[in-house]
Amino acid sequence: MPEIMWKRDRNLVTYCGTPLSSPTPPPSATTVGISHLGTPSLIVRNMVASSVTPVSQYQSSSIQANMPSTSPLPSVAYLGPRSSYSHQAALGRFDPAKYALEPRTTIADVFIAVQAGAVAYGVVPFENSTNGSVVFTLDLFCDRARSFRDTFVHGVTYLDVHHCLLSSAASLSSVARIYSHPQAFGQCENWLGANARGIERIDVSSTSKAAQIVAGDAGAAAIASKIAADVHGLKVLAANIEDSADNTTRFFVLAAQPELKAPVSKGPGETDKTFLSFTVDHKIPGALCDSLKVFKDFGLNLTSISSRPSRLLPWDYIFFVEFEGHSDTQDVQSALDELRKCCLSLRVLGSYKDHQREREEGSRDRESKVAENGKAS
């Protein structure tokens, strides 16, 4: 059975969380990352508010993954170093006046911290509208070693991602190697193919880590954010080098404490999504088809399906699906009972509020207002 990787790109839209109140930033912070974020002043203020000083906040290294937080505030782990896109996504979701944001070195470290109870929440990249699923995150959800049995998806947030080529070199002609995260390289293939052919590419754990490395290497460049350039004192050799202008990354908010499970949304127009994994008997013809047909029979709209190798047998897979609905509702519970009859294993990985639909409706409202203003002029 071939490995499946399918998604609805049109559904991956920008959402930076509920608007947050934050302290007024000091004047020195107002120039950080203003040009490329959807709500720049808000995110920059929150970055500043999460630390004592506007720049040194980004420069500390990640602490041990399962070390308990020393902050009196609820803590949130994210893929660091500071100024990473995961940091920006975390700031879009969690008010730094109410939560302590703590960087971790790898995505696995975020999972470990959440499972161990060292933090209340974790923020990890899950899927990009240009380059697809973040396989590092999917592999951790596979949980082949049963290390994260209590960890679930509490929520979701979206972030516009605009990449820059950063360096201390005067021009691209002086660059011999480029550092970045594999996802960032994949999101900038067109620009790299046209402008950086023959230059060595080196994978690192995050885009902000790439910027941190390049700050001490005059012959190197990094693909990272404008904020990372400001933090590490790097030049922007090229801006907005991503292949798609609406390049967006979806982040999952993780939790492990049962009381943090998201309730069924009941507000006007609010909807939920559920994320789960399952396996089927690959020797049975139509086993996967029978499993997916359950969602149609129960009127549950699938919004994403992907797979990863089970590593139990060659060409044996763990499937992941996301669909509209909450696992605590009767219709979804009935569907899951039927789905279990078709599966060897099934695990609900979380239900959460669907901010995507809110963002789509907001985008349509803005487009309508723009059109009305155009007619009025």
Side-chain angles (χ1 to χ4, degrees):
M1 185 178 293
E3 183 172 359
I4 293 177
M5 189 68 69
W6 175 86
K7 58 184 173 53
R8 292 171 58 183
D9 283 348
R10 294 181 63 187
N11 280 350
L12 298 180
V13 294
T14 305
Y15 179 79
C16 287
T18 304
L20 307 171
S21 59
S22 60
T24 302
S28 60
T30 58
T31 60
V32 179
I34 294 298
S35 61
H36 76 295
L37 294 173
T39 53
S41 59
L42 172 62
I43 292 179
V44 171
R45 286 200 302 272
N46 281 326
M47 281 189 166
V48 173
S50 66
S51 182
V52 176
T53 59
V55 174
S56 64
Q57 61 166 323
Y58 301 99
Q59 296 173 341
S60 63
S61 60
S62 176
I63 61 176
Q64 186 177 354
N66 60 354
M67 183 180 297
S69 173
T70 58
S71 172
L73 299 173
S75 50
V76 181
Y78 63 87
L79 176 62
R82 291 174 169 89
S83 80
S84 67
Y85 291 114
S86 294
H87 189 192
Q88 296 173 40
L91 285 166
R93 180 66 183 243
F94 296 96
D95 185 344
K98 299 177 181 178
Y99 295 89
L101 305 185
E102 302 179 354
R104 292 299 194 272
T105 303
T106 66
I107 295 173
D109 288 340
V110 177
F111 272 76
I112 291 169
V114 171
Q115 176 66 32
V119 298
Y121 300 99
V123 177
V124 294
F126 177 70
E127 189 174 26
N128 177 263
S129 61
T130 300
N131 205 45
S133 298
V134 180
V135 295
F136 307 102
T137 303
L138 271 182
D139 278 340
L140 289 161
F141 278 122
C142 288
D143 198 18
R144 301 178 183 94
R146 301 180 66 84
S147 300
F148 309 115
R149 304 311 290 174
D150 301 319
T151 301
F152 57 87
V153 181
H154 164 84
V156 64
T157 189
Y158 294 77
L159 181 72
D160 269 342
V161 174
H162 298 288
H163 295 298
C164 299
L165 187 72
L166 314 180
S167 181
S168 58
S171 66
L172 181 59
S173 61
S174 302
V175 172
R177 55 203 160 272
I178 300 175
Y179 293 85
S180 199
H181 188 278
Q183 273 278 334
F185 282 128
Q187 294 164 31
C188 302
E189 280 293 349
N190 292 343
W191 188 92
L192 290 168
N195 299 279
R197 280 177 289 186
I199 299 179
E200 181 183 10
R201 303 182 193 180
I202 302 174
D203 291 350
V204 293
S205 60
S206 69
T207 55
S208 56
K209 182 65 175 179
Q212 188 179 69
I213 292 171
V214 167
D217 188 345
I223 296 176
S225 68
K226 175 63 168 60
I227 288 177
D230 295 324
V231 167
H232 296 287
L234 297 169
K235 301 173 185 175
V236 176
L237 299 185
N240 299 326
I241 64 174
E242 64 277 359
D243 294 344
S244 176
D246 60 354
N247 189 40
T248 307
T249 296
R250 179 163 65 136
F251 296 81
F252 274 162
V253 178
L254 308 178
Q257 302 170 32
E259 63 270 20
L260 296 181
K261 289 187 176 181
V264 177
S265 297
K266 297 181 179 180
E270 292 182 346
T271 58
D272 298 300
K273 285 185 177 179
T274 295
F275 183 55
L276 61 80
S277 64
F278 66 90
T279 60
V280 297
D281 188 340
H282 290 265
K283 297 186 295 294
I284 299 177
L288 177 60
C289 179
D290 291 342
S291 300
L292 297 179
K293 187 173 181 296
V294 171
F295 296 96
K296 178 181 179 181
D297 292 344
F298 281 82
L300 300 175
N301 184 35
L302 285 176
T303 56
S304 175
I305 178 170
S306 55
S307 67
R308 294 297 295 158
S310 70
R311 300 182 186 173
L312 297 175
L313 295 169
W315 322 120
D316 188 80
Y317 297 96
I318 298 172
F319 297 97
F320 295 89
V321 296
E322 182 186 56
F323 61 91
E324 295 177 349
H326 196 289
S327 60
D328 286 343
T329 60
Q330 185 58 53
D331 58 337
V332 172
Q333 289 178 1
S334 298
L336 295 178
D337 288 342
E338 187 66 24
L339 181 60
R340 288 186 179 93
K341 299 176 183 178
C342 307
C343 300
L344 294 176
S345 66
L346 185 152
R347 180 185 175 191
V348 176
L349 294 166
S351 294
Y352 39 89
K353 185 178 178 180
D354 180 14
H355 292 302
Q356 176 180 307
R357 180 169 295 184
E358 290 179 353
R359 187 63 182 90
E360 288 175 338
E361 292 173 353
S363 178
R364 285 193 293 268
D365 288 343
R366 285 193 298 274
E367 291 173 357
S368 176
K369 289 178 181 179
V370 169
E372 291 175 1
N373 288 336
K375 292 177 181 179
S377 60

